[in-house]
Amino acid sequence: MTRKTVVLRSETRSTYQVNRVNYRECQRNHAANTGGYAVDGCREFISVGAEGTDLALVCATCGCHRNFHRREVQSELQSESSHASSSCDTI
């Protein structure tokens, strides 16, 4: 499974957003030439080569380009500090 992490930082805030991209099942229609619909059943993108090479965009299971696989983006906010420095006082 190939995971790509994109980090978006803001200069004014102490939090940043981390996007994780996963490529899931192949959605290529192999019977498009005949007017039908058939998928190959590949459940997850697994790259042939190392990241940064041309082979990183080819699926080892089905041989399709990564663009044929369903893209799933997971976003989460993370803070610069590992602990919060807020306190609650009751009077």
Side-chain angles (χ1 to χ4, degrees), residues 27-88:
Q27 298 175 339
R28 182 177 178 193
N29 183 4
H30 292 278
N33 294 344
T34 61
Y37 182 76
V39 293
D40 60 5
C42 178
R43 302 298 299 162
E44 187 174 6
F45 177 79
I46 301 171
S47 68
V48 173
E51 189 69 33
T53 64
D54 290 340
L55 290 177
L57 302 176
V58 177
C59 181
T61 306
C62 64
C64 293
H65 191 273
R66 185 173 70 184
N67 288 344
F68 286 108
H69 291 259
R70 182 176 60 88
R71 186 175 186 213
E72 183 179 83
V73 179
Q74 297 172 343
S75 299
E76 61 184 53
L77 291 176
Q78 294 183 352
S79 63
E80 289 286 329
S81 63
S82 60
H83 60 281
S85 62
S86 64
S87 62
C88 296

Side-chain angles (χ1 to χ4, degrees), residues 8-53:
L8 304 174
R9 291 184 182 245
S10 175
E11 295 294 327
T12 59
R13 296 184 179 167
S14 63
T15 61
Y16 57 95
Q17 181 176 355
V18 176
N19 292 333
R20 288 193 174 92
V21 179
N22 296 323
Y23 292 92
R24 300 296 182 189
E25 67 272 358
C26 184
Q27 298 175 339
R28 182 177 178 193
N29 183 4
H30 292 278
N33 294 344
T34 61
Y37 182 76
V39 293
D40 60 5
C42 178
R43 302 298 299 162
E44 187 174 6
F45 177 79
I46 301 171
S47 68
V48 173
E51 189 69 33
T53 64

